[in-house]
């Protein structure tokens, strides 16, 4: 079904370009699960064939016919049969098999079936017949590949053999093992006359059981191109230095350990490797474009409010918004200045009686461009707030008591992200409203964008602290804190709150969702703690801002302060699509009963406040919410530098492949940056090093060394 949809999409694109599918030049990919397409809404697993088309230009398109569990035999009998009617003269067919050919440790499936049938071993015969996979590297593997090659040539197309990508098998020497490179020579089985010889071994210079080696030999025999993805991925993996680092970057999908299949980052890296190798070998060279990425310094490093304002203005006005703009904010308190004069008007509960009206300078700092990273040097010591007054001249008598003239969602935020600010990334920074508590709505962030990430941030307010205003928005929080009392998480779109600490003021309501994009709001492994006194038992987890649309679920929550027994509250005449919990625990880890939770809203609308375990697992699945956007790829922190040494004032440390750059710290403060794992100190002091991930976020500091000059 997915392949059919892909082919339909290609046809539509071709028509829009004023041509037809027959005229388009196509690259077909035939292979196994490491190349295959996946449903991005249900899994983090990705095949590199999904992203290969990103590197094609001039109207060339990629059609991915790869499928999990297929060896070279199924590649010919199934995948090639599915694809060949669409293959035309001038097209290319990339052929990658090997992973599943290794089934049965290098023996051929059909030969095994014959053997077990002759032996009368019906049980083993049934197992082998059901599995279908398995070829011998130096014989049947080559034969099935040869069939594909010759039929591709007969169509007037160009076959290219792609050796299988390595498995993430590291040895004690931190190198990819022989088996990880699809050479079974260290341990294989062989069928010999009337017996199976198991646990066989041959020397490393004997390539009889080496699948990539025999693929290379076949390419020579058939006079076609061979792309060595085995060696290329081996080199890629080993640049990470260890299994743990490589696995975390390219393979980790948040499930059981799988050393074969990529996550999105791994699949994209493999796709780019293949495109690069093809281009280097002159294959499709004019129709492949490889993006160039080099390490460089932050676009701005700021230590004053004026510098921060200038940096944000530069980010907003830049022409190239596809390239990320990274701002590092040094420790300090930044009081953002007010802007142009605007007219403000506050009315009473009847929405007509004017309580106060007048002109004031705008207190909001606007982010209006895509792909901005705002990184703090230290979350608790890097505070962005507003330069506004809370004295009597800025107050008026509102419908609920004394209020600030900037109160309301659209008047008060420290930051407003417009709908153009897609892909904004915050890390290690505090954003604090300049409006004091109990003076009305005082937002830290008003987010009208999408694909926003908040990693280890503190958003500090009282009411509507974080408010989202995009029904199609996607938002991700990882770690950090949000503080408030009333509706302090409020708004639209889908949001995933991962290990967030909610700092609850006594009374009030935590989450007030409105209209979701697809899923709603998911709180996973979060903590609710007190901000101030007398909080326990006084607040509710949320209330519904809308009719039959709000969704908020709390899964595996540690409630250091518990909500009321009802747990949820009313809001006007609204009711939720679902307000529920699973495995809520108190400060001692004891399960909190939900039997007394609110089940009826707006007098007649039922709500089941307890999730089943299956429902909790479904909501916990981040892919269901985010699809192909994988925010955890962006939040993954570069490894803390290790093996730091100093000799005659020169610092060195171990290289980390995933590090964007290194920040040099002296006496606990960032003072400089380097793109290489070495730095010459200019002053004596206590030094450490922090590593930045590609978004610009800094790791914890390394161990310290003392420099004496």
């Amino acid at each position: 079904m997915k392949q059919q949809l892909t082919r339909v999409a290609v046809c539509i694109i071709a028509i829009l370009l004023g041509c037809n599918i027959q005229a388009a030049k196509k690259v077909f990919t035939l292979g196994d699960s490491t190349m295959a397409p996946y449903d991005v809404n249900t899994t983090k697993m990705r095949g590199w064939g999904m992203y290969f088309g990103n590197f094609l230009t001039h109207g060339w398109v990629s059609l991915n016919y790869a499928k999990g569990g297929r060896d070279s035999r199924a590649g010919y009998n199934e995948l090639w049969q599915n694809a060949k009617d669409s293959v035309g003269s001038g097209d290319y067919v990339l052929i990658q098999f090997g992973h599943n050919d290794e089934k049965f440790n290098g023996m051929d499936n059909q030969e095994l079936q014959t053997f077990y049938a002759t032996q009368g071993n019906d049980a083993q015969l049934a197992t082998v017949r059901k599995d279908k996979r398995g070829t011998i590297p130096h014989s049947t593997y080559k034969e099935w590949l040869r069939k594909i090659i010759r039929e591709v040539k007969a169509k007037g197309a160009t076959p290219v053999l792609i050796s299988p990508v390595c498995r993430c098998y590291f040895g004690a020497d931190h190198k990819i093992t022989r088996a990880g490179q699809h050479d079974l020579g260290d341990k294989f089985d062989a069928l010999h006359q009337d017996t199976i010889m198991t646990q066989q071994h041959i020397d490393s210079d004997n390539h009889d059981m080496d699948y990539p080696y025999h693929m290379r030999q076949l390419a020579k025999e058939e006079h076609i191109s061979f792309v060595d993805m085995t060696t290329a991925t081996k080199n890629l993996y080993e640049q990470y230095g260890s299994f743990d680092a490589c696995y975390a970057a390219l393979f980790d999908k948040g499930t059981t350990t799988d050393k074969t299949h990529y996550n999105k980052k791994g699949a994209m890296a493999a796709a780019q490797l293949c495109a690069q190798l093809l281009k280097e070998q002159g294959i499709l060279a004019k129709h492949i474009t490889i993006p160039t990425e080099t390490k460089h310094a932050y676009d701005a490093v700021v230590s004053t409010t004026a510098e921060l304002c200038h940096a944000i203005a530069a980010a907003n006005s830049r022409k190239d918004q596809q390239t990320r703009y990274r701002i590092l904010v040094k420790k300090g308190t930044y009081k953002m200045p007010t802007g142009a004069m605007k007219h403000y008007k506050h009315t009473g509960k009847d929405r007509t009686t004017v309580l106060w009206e007048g002109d004031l300078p705008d207190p909001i700092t606007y982010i209006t461009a895509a792909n901005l990273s705002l990184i703090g040097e230290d979350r608790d010591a890097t505070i962005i707030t507003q330069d506004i007054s809370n004295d009597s001249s800025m107050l008026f008598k509102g419908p609920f008591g004394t209020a600030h003239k900037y109160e309301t969602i659209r008047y008060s935020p420290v930051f407003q992200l417009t709908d153009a600010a897609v892909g904004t990334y915050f890390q290690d920074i505090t954003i604090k409203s300049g409006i004091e508590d109990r003076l009305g709505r005082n937002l830290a962030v008003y987010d009208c964008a999408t694909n926003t990430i908040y990693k280890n941030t503190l958003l500090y307010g009282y009411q509507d602290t974080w408010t989202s205003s995009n029904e199609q928005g996607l938002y991700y929080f990882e770690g950090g804190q949000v503080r408030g009392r009333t509706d302090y998480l409020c708004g639209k779109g889908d949001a995933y709150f991962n290990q967030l600490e909610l700092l609850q003021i006594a009374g009030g309501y935590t989450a007030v969702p409105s209209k979701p994009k697809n899923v709603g709001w998911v709180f996973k492994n979060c903590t609710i703690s007190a901000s101030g006194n007398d909080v326990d038992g006084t607040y509710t987890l949320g209330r519904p801002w809308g009719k039959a649309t709000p969704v908020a679920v709390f899964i595996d929550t540690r409630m250091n302060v518990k909500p009321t027994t009802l747990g949820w509250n009313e809001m006007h005449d609204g009711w939720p699509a679902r307000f529920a919990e699973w495995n809520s625990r108190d400060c001692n880890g004891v399960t909190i009963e939900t039997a007394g939770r609110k089940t009826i809203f707006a007098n007649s609308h039922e709500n089941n406040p307890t999730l089943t375990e299956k429902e909790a697992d479904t909501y916990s699945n981040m892919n269901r919410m985010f699809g192909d956007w994988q925010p955890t790829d962006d939040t993954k922190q570069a490894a803390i530098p290790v093996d730091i040494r100093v000799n005659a004032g020169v610092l060195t440390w171990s290289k980390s492949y995933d590090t964007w750059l290194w920040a040099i710290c002296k006496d606990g403060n960032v003072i400089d940056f380097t793109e290489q794992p070495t730095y010459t100190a200019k002053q004596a002091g206590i030094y450490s090093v922090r590593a930045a991930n590609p978004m610009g976020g800094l790791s914890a500091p390394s161990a310290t060394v003392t420099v004496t000059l």
Side-chain angles (χ1 to χ4, degrees), residues 165-454:
V165 297
C166 284
R167 301 182 196 270
C168 191
Y169 291 177
F170 277 79
D173 60 354
H174 302 298
K175 304 294 183 183
I176 299 299
T177 65
R178 191 176 181 184
Q181 299 174 65
H182 306 284
D183 179 354
L184 305 186
D186 282 342
K187 184 180 177 182
F188 65 95
D189 297 344
L191 188 59
H192 183 69
Q193 295 179 354
D194 60 348
T195 187
I196 295 176
M197 302 171 64
T198 62
Q199 306 287 310
Q200 300 298 293
H201 172 85
I202 54 179
D203 293 338
S204 59
D205 59 354
N206 185 328
H207 296 289
D208 278 359
M209 300 306 296
D210 186 340
Y211 287 90
Y213 173 85
H214 289 289
M215 179 182 273
R216 184 190 294 271
Q217 296 307 113
L218 176 62
K220 292 178 181 178
E221 294 166 13
E222 294 295 322
H223 306 289
I224 67 170
S225 296
F226 169 77
V227 174
D228 189 357
M229 280 289 283
T230 309
T231 299
T233 51
K234 173 183 183 293
N235 293 338
L236 171 66
Y237 302 173
E238 290 176 356
Q239 287 183 60
Y240 284 89
S242 69
F243 165 78
D244 288 342
C246 177
Y247 182 83
L250 305 179
F251 293 87
D252 185 15
K253 296 170 284 293
T255 56
T256 56
T257 302
D258 172 2
K259 302 177 183 179
T260 298
H261 301 99
Y262 292 126
N263 56 25
K264 182 179 178 181
K265 181 176 179 179
M268 292 180 71
Q272 181 165 328
L273 268 180
C274 185
Q276 181 70 51
L277 292 172
L278 287 166
K279 191 175 181 71
E280 289 173 358
Q281 293 177 216
I283 306 164
L284 289 165
K286 294 181 180 179
H287 310 296
I288 289 176
T289 298
I290 307 296
T292 56
E293 255 190 53
T294 56
K295 293 181 179 180
H296 56 85
Y298 287 92
D299 296 278
V301 178
V302 303
S303 57
T304 68
T305 301
E307 289 174 347
L308 177 56
C309 292
H310 182 269
I312 293 173
N316 286 339
S317 62
R318 75 193 195 278
K319 292 182 179 179
D320 178 13
Q321 295 189 18
Q322 298 303 309
T323 301
R324 181 156 293 276
Y325 193 97
R326 303 169 181 87
I327 302 173
L328 179 68
V329 187
K330 302 289 288 295
K331 297 174 187 175
T333 298
Y334 299 77
K335 292 187 175 183
M336 305 302 282
T338 53
M341 297 296 288
K342 291 178 63 176
H343 190 72
Y344 297 84
K345 182 178 180 180
H346 294 278
T347 59
K349 294 180 182 179
D350 60 7
R351 298 178 183 256
T352 58
T353 303
V354 177
L355 303 180
W356 181 85
E357 185 174 8
D359 294 329
L360 294 170
D362 189 353
I364 303 173
T365 297
Y366 296 90
I367 297 176
T368 62
N371 295 315
L372 169 65
S373 289
L374 201 59
I375 310 298
E377 182 181 0
D378 179 307
R379 188 194 71 184
D380 296 335
T382 309
I383 302 166
I384 300 177
T385 185
Q386 296 154 301
D387 189 10
I388 57 177
S389 171
N390 288 275
D391 64 21
S392 59
S393 66
M394 289 299 296
L395 307 180
F396 72 101
K397 187 167 181 59
F400 302 100
T402 302
H404 199 284
K405 291 178 181 178
Y406 283 130
E407 91 87 20
T408 74
I409 289 175
R410 289 179 173 82
Y411 296 170
S412 68
V414 179
F415 283 111
Q416 179 174 328
L417 278 58
T418 69
D419 58 2
V422 176
T424 303
Y425 182 92
F426 297 98
Q427 183 175 329
D428 300 331
I429 205 159
T430 293
I431 303 173
K432 182 177 182 180
S433 173
I435 300 174
E436 294 178 353
D437 289 353
R438 305 181 187 280
L439 295 177
R441 289 161 286 189
N442 59 343
L443 282 64
V445 177
Y446 183 39
D447 198 334
C448 307
T450 187
N451 294 60
T452 312
I453 295 175
Y454 302 84

Side-chain angles (χ1 to χ4, degrees), residues 570-705:
E570 299 272 354
M571 187 173 190
H572 309 307
D573 56 352
W575 67 92
R578 189 71 184 276
F579 279 177
E581 298 165 71
W582 168 260
N583 191 33
S584 296
R585 292 155 288 118
D586 66 16
C587 59
N588 297 312
V590 177
T591 299
I592 296 174
E593 293 297 330
T594 58
R597 295 293 194 242
K598 188 174 180 63
T599 59
I600 302 294
F601 287 80
N603 298 319
S604 61
H605 297 281
E606 295 184 357
N607 174 68
N608 181 353
T610 305
L611 296 170
T612 65
E613 185 173 8
K614 183 177 181 180
E615 287 177 321
D617 289 342
T618 299
Y619 276 111
S620 297
N621 181 3
M622 214 178 289
N623 300 295
R624 180 170 171 261
M625 179 181 293
F626 294 138
D628 202 35
W629 182 48
Q630 296 291 321
T632 54
D633 288 346
D634 293 331
T635 59
K636 194 167 292 182
Q637 195 56 62
I640 298 172
V642 296
D643 196 25
I644 182 168
R645 304 180 185 189
V646 61
N647 182 18
V650 178
L651 281 69
T652 59
W653 55 91
S654 296
K655 184 175 182 179
S656 173
Y657 184 70
D658 255 1
T659 298
W660 176 65
L661 59 71
W662 288 276
I664 307 303
C665 303
K666 175 181 174 292
D667 302 327
N669 299 309
V670 173
I671 61 165
D672 209 345
F673 307 92
T674 177
E675 299 167 15
Q676 301 299 325
T678 183
Y679 180 77
T680 301
K682 301 176 180 63
Q683 295 179 317
I686 307 298
Y687 282 79
S688 60
V689 183
R690 300 172 70 179
N693 67 13
M695 304 300 280
L698 291 171
S699 72
S702 68
T704 59
V705 293

Side-chain angles (χ1 to χ4, degrees), residues 77 133 337 383 555 577:
N77 288 329
R133 297 173 293 177
I383 302 166
I555 301 168

